[in-house]
Amino acid sequence: MSTPADHLWMHFSRMAGADKAPVIVRGEGAYIWDDRGKRYLDGLAGLFVNQLGHGRTDLAAVAAEQASTLAYFPLWSYAHPSARELAEKVASLAPGDLDHVFFTSGGGEAVESAWKLAKNYFRLTGKPQKHKVISRAIAYHGTTHGALSITGLPALKQMFEPLVPSTFRVPSTNIYRAPLHGDDPEAFGRWAADQIEVAIEQEGPDTVAAVFLEPVQNAGGCFPPPPGYFQRVREICDRHDVLLVSDEVICAFGRLGTMFGAERYGYQPDIITCAKGLTSGYAPLGAMIASARLFEPFREPGAMFAHGYTFGGHPVATAVGLKNLQIFEQEGVLEHVRANEAGFRATLERLSDLPIVGDVRGDGYFYGLELVKDKATKETFDDAESERLLRGFLSTALFDAGLYCRADDRGDPVIQLSPPLICDQSHFDEIEQVLRGVLTEAWSRL
Ligand SMILES: Cc1ncc(COP(=O)(O)O)c(C=O)c1O
């Protein structure tokens, strides 16, 4: 006899033994519970999603009300009120002249939409050769063919080759492992930005449409930009008429203490892609926010962006998104993050006394702890050790100790932390306590 566990194909999961996967049944505030009644601190906000925490009945009520009034209607030649209102709200919050909001069902679709818009825009404005994309090594931008092509993680791509041609990688802003200028953040930032110009020139500026960058790169374990990096990238993009796409699927909606990551680091993108925290996870929704300049050719009579998704801008999701952003304002969520982020950093930095913690990096409520074999030399673990450490021990041990977070080795081994934005010092202390115990044990097992 089969069981429900025999039929669910989980995402990015080894399916052998999947019947033993933890089953999460309930959430309240910063905590989740499994089907055995055990409580865990949600140190990852689900998957960088649950900004306002779990169990908010006000968001659930808005979803129920919208579903009863109008559960579904497409945005294909028709509009509905909550999509319009949320678009207006998002446009009012987005930096500079980013004023047109194209809804999707999630982040990968937003990235996909941004690349298609970049190509379409240049075709309509007399530069049809501009179609290539530059992105960073190790960066994750989604799994659809276009978004996966932009993704810089070879291990996620090789099974699906050939992918969409015309994407190129430049180095990330990993200053901990900087090939040069590791002791001078500004010089490192200039160097890292200049690699984008080198790539544009190598490919031919007439052929490059866009650069896709996260404000803080997640995969690899939280690489914030060095000072001046984005300002220089902006100059380079302007010089070569290349669009700067800020992929904020994780970094928007308070994760860095600002509504958008670009705001935190003071740069102006041409497009922002976002999702996750837009609804705090109470409904699935993503968006591509485009500048007035990019929208302009589509104002022409007869012009159309021939692109869309059945569920993009779903009425329930947009109603929830609107309520979510209202709560951000009513409850001062951004102010809360800004008031507490120094405490989060200081608490995590206490873990630097452990021999296995090589680097603690991040901003806002978004951090990565890089684990090393030798702190002095920064020697990392080989594949077998990483497998034993991360998958064989850490992921389960952290969870068993009551902390849901992520041990990841898409780049060097890291622990990723991205708690709900409602968390305060008591939660940070709990995170530190669990990590200290489990990492100490991991070290003793090496
Ligand atoms: C930066 C970034 N872009 C795109 C995506 C893809 O989003 P989704 O999983 O909603 O398609 C993610 C997902 O984590 C992401 O972190």
Side-chain angles (χ1 to χ4, degrees):
M1 249 232 328
S2 74
T3 70
D6 294 330
H7 300 283
L8 177 65
W9 200 334
M10 296 185 298
H11 300 202
F12 282 110
S13 302
R14 296 176 180 185
M15 289 304 290
D19 55 327
K20 311 263 175 347
V23 178
I24 305 302
V25 296
R26 187 167 76 81
E28 184 72 46
Y31 293 91
I32 48 171
W33 281 260
D34 70 13
D35 57 352
R36 295 166 306 154
K38 186 169 171 196
R39 190 182 89 153
Y40 306 84
L41 178 57
D42 181 358
L44 203 62
L47 197 57
F48 315 96
V49 165
N50 208 297
Q51 314 298 67
L52 296 182
H54 300 271
R56 297 246 359 182
T57 50
D58 45 2
L59 285 169
V62 164
E65 196 180 308
Q66 180 62 52
S68 326
T69 311
L70 177 72
Y72 177 71
F73 216 75
L75 293 178
W76 303 44
S77 301
Y78 291 81
H80 55 79
S82 63
R84 279 201 165 146
E85 284 167 45
L86 182 61
E88 183 189 28
K89 183 74 195 165
V90 168
S92 76
L93 297 169
D97 69 341
L98 297 196
D99 65 358
H100 274 79
V101 182
F102 187 96
F103 288 116
T104 63
S105 337
E109 286 180 1
V111 168
E112 203 70 43
S113 304
W115 189 6
K116 287 178 78 174
L117 175 62
K119 288 163 88 172
N120 198 159
Y121 169 80
F122 283 122
R123 282 208 177 210
L124 292 176
T125 54
K127 296 186 175 176
Q129 299 289 349
K130 276 187 169 289
H131 66 286
K132 295 178 187 168
V133 166
I134 290 165
S135 58
R136 292 187 292 205
I138 325 282
Y140 180 82
H141 293 285
T143 51
T144 56
H145 271 76
L148 186 59
S149 303
I150 298 174
T151 288
L153 292 155
L156 296 192
K157 302 168 79 163
Q158 63 203 19
M159 293 299 166
F160 310 106
E161 299 283 0
L163 285 167
V164 186
S166 311
T167 67
F168 302 88
R169 238 62 56 209
V170 293
S172 71
T173 57
N174 181 358
I175 193 164
Y176 182 65
R177 297 194 178 278
L180 63 169
H181 307 303
D183 51 358
D184 181 346
E186 268 144 35
F188 175 65
R190 279 196 299 277
W191 171 82
D194 287 347
Q195 300 315 299
I196 294 175
E197 187 154 43
V198 170
I200 293 172
E201 282 170 347
Q202 261 169 10
E203 284 309 310
D206 292 350
T207 68
V208 180
V211 179
F212 280 67
L213 305 171
E214 290 166 88
V216 174
Q217 181 175 320
N218 173 45
C222 269
F223 304 132
Y229 173 78
F230 273 111
Q231 287 65 31
R232 197 167 178 96
V233 171
R234 180 71 265 178
E235 284 166 24
I236 291 165
C237 286
D238 287 345
R239 198 152 44 238
H240 299 292
D241 197 11
V242 167
L243 304 180
L244 174 52
V245 181
S246 193
D247 184 357
E248 308 209 2
V249 168
I250 290 178
C251 292
F253 310 114
R255 181 57 48 206
L256 300 171
T258 44
M259 213 32 115
F260 292 97
E263 228 179 304
R264 167 132 195 171
Y265 302 115
Y267 65 95
Q268 180 61 46
D270 299 291
I271 299 177
I272 287 178
T273 49
C274 58
K276 298 190 185 263
L278 176 52
T279 60
S280 282
Y282 285 76
L285 184 66
M288 168 189 69
I289 316 167
S291 68
R293 169 196 165 202
L294 297 183
F295 181 72
E296 201 50 40
F298 297 92
R299 278 188 202 285
E300 295 300 314
M304 174 176 70
F305 184 34
H307 178 65
Y309 301 99
T310 300
F311 284 152
H314 188 286
V316 173
T318 45
V320 168
L322 197 57
K323 179 71 181 172
N324 182 50
L325 296 181
Q326 282 163 359
I327 296 173
F328 264 68
E329 281 167 12
Q330 284 155 6
E331 299 185 4
V333 173
L334 301 181
E335 293 76 6
H336 176 79
V337 172
R338 287 201 291 267
N340 287 278
E341 64 173 336
F344 191 33
R345 177 188 289 275
T347 309
L348 294 177
E349 280 177 347
R350 294 210 294 259
L351 293 164
S352 299
D353 65 349
L354 299 177
I356 198 172
V357 176
D359 196 24
V360 177
R361 55 189 178 236
D363 267 327
Y365 273 24
F366 185 30
Y367 274 83
L369 267 61
E370 182 167 335
L371 308 180
V372 289
K373 209 153 109 178
D374 184 332
K375 225 159 150 148
T377 62
K378 302 185 183 175
E379 184 188 350
T380 191
F381 300 95
D382 63 30
D383 287 351
E385 288 165 334
S386 197
E387 172 75 22
R388 265 203 320 277
L389 179 71
L390 292 186
R391 294 190 208 275
F393 177 69
L394 276 177
S395 300
T396 325
L398 288 167
F399 194 65
D400 287 348
L403 175 64
Y404 165 70
C405 63
R406 188 161 173 198
D408 186 35
D409 61 353
R410 290 179 296 180
D412 295 306
V414 288
I415 306 242
Q416 295 175 304
L417 294 161
S418 163
L421 306 183
I422 52 163
C423 284
D424 57 28
Q425 190 59 43
S426 66
H427 302 106
F428 307 153
D429 289 338
E430 194 177 331
I431 291 173
E432 196 248 358
Q433 206 189 348
V434 173
L435 285 172
R436 180 169 293 282
V438 172
L439 290 174
T440 304
E441 195 185 334
W443 183 252
S444 71
R445 286 167 166 250
L446 283 173

Coordinates of all heavy atoms in Angstrom, one line a residue, residues 106-109 111 140-142 214 247 249-250 276, ligand 1:
G106 N 6.2 34.0 -9.4 CA 7.3 33.8 -8.4 C 8.6 34.5 -9.0 O 8.5 35.3 -10.0
G107 N 9.7 34.2 -8.4 CA 11.0 34.9 -8.7 C 11.6 34.6 -10.0 O 12.0 35.5 -10.8
G108 N 11.6 33.3 -10.3 CA 12.2 32.8 -11.6 C 11.5 33.4 -12.8 O 12.1 33.9 -13.7
E109 N 10.2 33.5 -12.7 CA 9.4 34.1 -13.7 C 9.7 35.6 -13.9 O 9.6 36.2 -14.9 CB 7.9 33.9 -13.5 CG 7.5 32.5 -13.7 CD 6.0 32.3 -13.5 OE1 5.3 33.3 -13.1 OE2 5.5 31.2 -13.6
V111 N 12.6 37.0 -13.2 CA 13.9 37.1 -13.9 C 13.7 36.8 -15.4 O 14.3 37.5 -16.2 CB 14.9 36.0 -13.3 CG1 16.1 35.9 -14.1 CG2 15.2 36.5 -11.8
Y140 N 22.4 32.5 -7.9 CA 21.2 31.7 -8.2 C 20.1 32.7 -8.7 O 19.8 33.7 -8.0 CB 20.7 30.9 -7.0 CG 19.5 30.1 -7.3 CD1 19.6 28.9 -7.8 CD2 18.2 30.6 -6.9 CE1 18.4 28.1 -8.1 CE2 17.1 29.8 -7.1 CZ 17.2 28.6 -7.7 OH 16.1 27.8 -7.9
H141 N 19.5 32.5 -9.9 CA 18.5 33.4 -10.3 C 17.2 32.6 -10.7 O 16.3 33.2 -11.4 CB 19.0 34.2 -11.5 CG 20.1 35.2 -11.2 ND1 19.8 36.3 -10.5 CD2 21.4 35.1 -11.3 CE1 21.0 37.0 -10.3 NE2 22.0 36.3 -10.8
G142 N 17.1 31.3 -10.5 CA 15.9 30.6 -10.8 C 16.2 29.4 -11.7 O 17.3 29.1 -12.1
E214 N 22.3 40.5 -7.7 CA 21.6 40.7 -6.4 C 22.3 41.8 -5.6 O 23.5 41.8 -5.6 CB 21.6 39.4 -5.6 CG 20.8 38.2 -6.2 CD 21.2 36.9 -5.5 OE1 20.6 36.6 -4.4 OE2 22.1 36.3 -6.0
D247 N 18.3 41.9 -9.0 CA 17.5 40.7 -8.6 C 17.3 40.7 -7.1 O 18.1 40.2 -6.4 CB 18.1 39.4 -9.2 CG 17.2 38.2 -8.9 OD1 16.1 38.4 -8.3 OD2 17.6 37.1 -9.3
V249 N 14.8 39.1 -5.4 CA 13.9 38.1 -5.0 C 14.0 37.8 -3.5 O 13.0 37.6 -2.8 CB 14.0 36.8 -5.8 CG1 13.3 35.7 -5.3 CG2 13.6 37.1 -7.3
I250 N 15.2 37.9 -3.0 CA 15.5 37.8 -1.5 C 15.6 39.2 -0.8 O 15.0 39.4 0.2 CB 16.7 37.0 -1.2 CG1 16.5 35.5 -1.6 CG2 17.1 37.1 0.2 CD1 17.7 34.6 -1.4
K276 N 8.9 36.4 -3.2 CA 9.0 36.0 -1.8 C 8.3 36.9 -0.8 O 7.2 36.8 -0.5 CB 10.5 35.8 -1.4 CG 11.2 34.7 -2.3 CD 12.5 34.3 -1.8 CE 13.3 33.3 -2.7 NZ 13.2 31.9 -2.3
Ligands
LIG1 C1 17.9 35.9 -6.3 C2 16.9 34.9 -6.7 N1 16.4 35.0 -8.0 C3 15.4 34.2 -8.4 C4 15.0 33.2 -7.6 C5 13.9 32.2 -8.1 O1 12.7 32.5 -7.4 P1 11.5 31.4 -7.4 O2 12.0 30.2 -6.7 O3 10.4 32.1 -6.8 O4 11.3 31.0 -8.9 C6 15.5 33.0 -6.3 C7 15.0 32.0 -5.4 O5 15.5 31.8 -4.3 C8 16.5 33.9 -5.8 O6 17.0 33.8 -4.6

